[in-house]
Amino acid sequence: MKSISLILLAAGNSTRFGLSAKKQWLYQYDKPLWLFVLEHLQSIYRFENIIVVANPQEITLMRSFSSVTFVPGGSSRQESLSNALKHTQSDFVIVNDVARSCVPKELLLKLIEHAKALHCVVPALKVSDTCYFDGAPIEREKLLRIQTPQLSCTTTLKELLKTAEEFSDESTLFFNAGKCVEFIEGSTDAHKLTYKDDLRLLRCLQTPINLPRNGFGIDIHSFEENKPMVLAGIPIESPFGFKAHSDGDVAIHALIDALLGASGLGDIGELFPDNDPAFKNADSKELLQKVTQLVRGVGYEITHCDLSILAQVPKITPYKEQMRAALATIMGISKSSVNIKATTAEKMGFVGRKEGVTVYATATLNYYRWDKI
Ligand code: MG
């Protein structure tokens, strides 16, 4: 068996994709796409090791799914590849983009069969459409569309990546260095997922299941005089506000932790440390907006949130509807999906002594239904 490592590039921001979820996090049944692709390729060949190039913010979450090696993506494809190659000593390496989600077994095995020292082996497709270049027709018979996965001799690839010049794939890197690039017949099934319409062309994809995920959050803040009070995104008439590094919106903080809990993205302290000057007097509405984006990015939609505000003072009831509307607008969901409840502490404990407020929140998420767009 040839010694081959697999590098899966899954660090993209999916800017051309046009959906709230990033490509790598589109759920296939109950698995994110990156894991679905990884397990598919792993089922075809026993790779010496597997390295996933990931967005640094997503690595902790990815580790909860798999124990393969994760490396942070660089500022370019080449930098990402160089980072990943530090983790492998195998003779050959296969690099695949997570966007090539449905690589057929025969294609992968054919690549492996052609592995040779110093070579790069790539799938290529002929072009059947009439083609023009610079306003004039050209001989389409001479054109080839290059796909991934591509197989490279590891030592040669490591050496070639030292160049400062940028290349779009390994084949052009090998070609420009005068090394051998070998073409094998590609497959239309290895179509690349770039735009949302491509989702219809990938035949191996599976629709996500309905599996609600719940998260819970709690936050407590004491009062501080001469500070404006903001609660659930709404200014509250009060002689005091909340003592905090940020604006102290204890309701939004509890909600953020509920959202992070449901999505597995950590907690508010990890994302927005209270000793970081960047978050001094931070507007919690902006933090909620960022968290909403992160939660959506990793493949979820927010279906429901419920908050219980435990306060002796101020009176919450007059603000409840405004609060629901404010939170719903920030999260881009309907007001009917956000609930606010209020209760006093019957004059007991620190809440009852009017020293501060406690908020409990839950959030329910579902996998983003990319199949319904
Ligand atoms: Mg807080």
Side-chain angles (χ1 to χ4, degrees):
M1 192 166 236
K2 289 169 182 163
S3 134
I4 303 173
S5 293
L6 172 68
I7 296 177
L8 184 67
L9 302 173
N13 281 321
S14 305
T15 37
R16 285 178 292 176
F17 196 44
L19 294 179
S20 59
K22 296 181 189 179
K23 277 181 276 191
Q24 60 267 35
W25 291 102
L26 293 178
Y27 271 78
Q28 309 302 308
Y29 196 69
D30 62 348
K31 278 177 195 152
L33 183 62
W34 65 267
L35 185 62
F36 176 81
V37 174
L38 187 75
E39 289 184 354
H40 165 63
L41 298 174
Q42 234 179 338
S43 73
I44 302 169
Y45 194 78
R46 198 187 302 165
F47 295 100
E48 192 164 293
N49 48 28
I50 295 175
I51 302 133
V52 176
V53 178
N55 180 322
Q57 272 189 317
E58 294 165 12
I59 288 182
T60 308
L61 181 57
M62 285 183 164
R63 283 205 179 107
S64 67
F65 287 91
S66 170
S67 56
V68 300
T69 304
F70 295 94
V71 299
S75 56
S76 64
R77 190 178 193 275
Q78 258 157 271
E79 198 185 321
S80 294
L81 252 187
S82 301
N83 289 348
L85 283 167
K86 286 178 195 150
H87 297 265
T88 177
Q89 303 298 327
S90 59
D91 297 339
F92 300 97
V93 61
I94 286 181
V95 181
N96 191 43
D97 198 311
V98 73
R100 303 273 181 192
S101 312
C102 301
V103 173
K105 180 180 178 179
E106 304 69 40
L107 177 60
L108 191 76
L109 292 177
K110 214 189 301 172
L111 270 184
I112 292 168
E113 201 184 297
H114 285 75
K116 272 187 217 92
L118 306 174
H119 281 213
C120 178
V121 190
V122 298
L125 285 174
K126 292 207 167 93
V127 178
S128 54
D129 297 319
T130 297
C131 295
Y132 277 65
F133 176 75
D134 219 5
I138 51 168
E139 283 178 77
R140 68 174 173 215
E141 294 74 17
K142 290 187 178 171
L143 291 179
L144 284 178
R145 285 165 53 206
I146 304 302
Q147 301 180 302
T148 66
Q150 301 189 2
L151 179 143
S152 305
C153 167
T154 310
T155 46
T156 316
L157 181 58
K158 281 184 181 176
E159 199 51 42
L160 295 179
L161 280 170
K162 288 177 185 160
T163 175
E165 228 179 310
E166 288 284 324
F167 294 97
S168 59
D169 68 348
E170 297 82 84
S171 79
T172 36
L173 186 64
F174 271 71
F175 181 86
N176 281 282
K179 304 285 179 191
C180 185
V181 179
E182 196 176 336
F183 302 109
I184 61 162
E185 197 184 343
S187 164
T188 49
D189 283 339
H191 183 75
K192 192 176 176 185
L193 182 57
T194 308
Y195 304 101
K196 62 181 180 190
D197 287 343
D198 294 325
L199 286 166
R200 279 189 273 270
L201 301 171
L202 299 185
R203 291 192 295 169
C204 76
L205 298 187
Q206 297 174 1
T207 56
I209 51 165
N210 285 318
L211 186 70
R213 290 173 65 107
N214 294 312
F216 174 73
I218 178 173
D219 199 26
I220 300 170
H221 280 260
S222 60
F223 295 131
E224 184 177 283
E225 288 192 5
N226 302 318
K227 199 176 172 187
M229 181 180 283
V230 194
L231 196 56
I234 297 298
I236 308 286
E237 283 228 29
S238 164
F240 38 75
F242 292 111
K243 190 177 175 183
H245 182 66
S246 67
D247 65 2
D249 192 328
V250 55
I252 288 190
H253 297 178
L255 176 57
I256 285 177
D257 259 359
L259 290 165
L260 294 175
S263 56
L265 283 168
D267 64 33
I268 189 168
E270 289 168 41
L271 260 69
F272 312 114
D274 63 7
N275 53 6
D276 185 339
F279 303 117
K280 175 103 179 112
N281 296 322
D283 181 343
S284 297
K285 295 192 289 299
E286 285 173 19
L287 305 185
L288 178 58
Q289 202 167 19
K290 276 187 197 156
V291 167
T292 300
Q293 216 177 10
L294 284 177
V295 165
R296 292 222 169 97
V298 297
Y300 294 107
E301 51 197 7
I302 303 167
T303 32
H304 188 257
C305 298
D306 186 24
L307 289 85
S308 277
I309 303 174
L310 186 62
Q312 201 67 44
V313 284
K315 282 210 175 317
I316 305 299
T317 312
Y319 300 100
K320 270 160 68 172
E321 291 309 304
Q322 270 177 279
M323 288 173 168
R324 292 176 74 187
L327 296 180
T329 304
I330 300 167
M331 292 184 283
I333 57 177
S334 72
K335 193 180 152 196
S336 62
S337 302
V338 181
N339 200 50
I340 303 271
K341 307 188 299 304
T343 182
T344 70
E346 298 284 346
K347 298 186 179 162
M348 293 182 288
F350 67 90
V351 171
R353 292 192 300 271
K354 303 179 183 173
E355 291 169 13
V357 163
T358 300
V359 180
Y360 304 94
T362 64
T364 307
L365 309 180
N366 262 301
Y367 296 140
Y368 173 63
R369 293 306 301 254
W370 55 264
D371 56 317
K372 299 229 165 122
I373 50 167

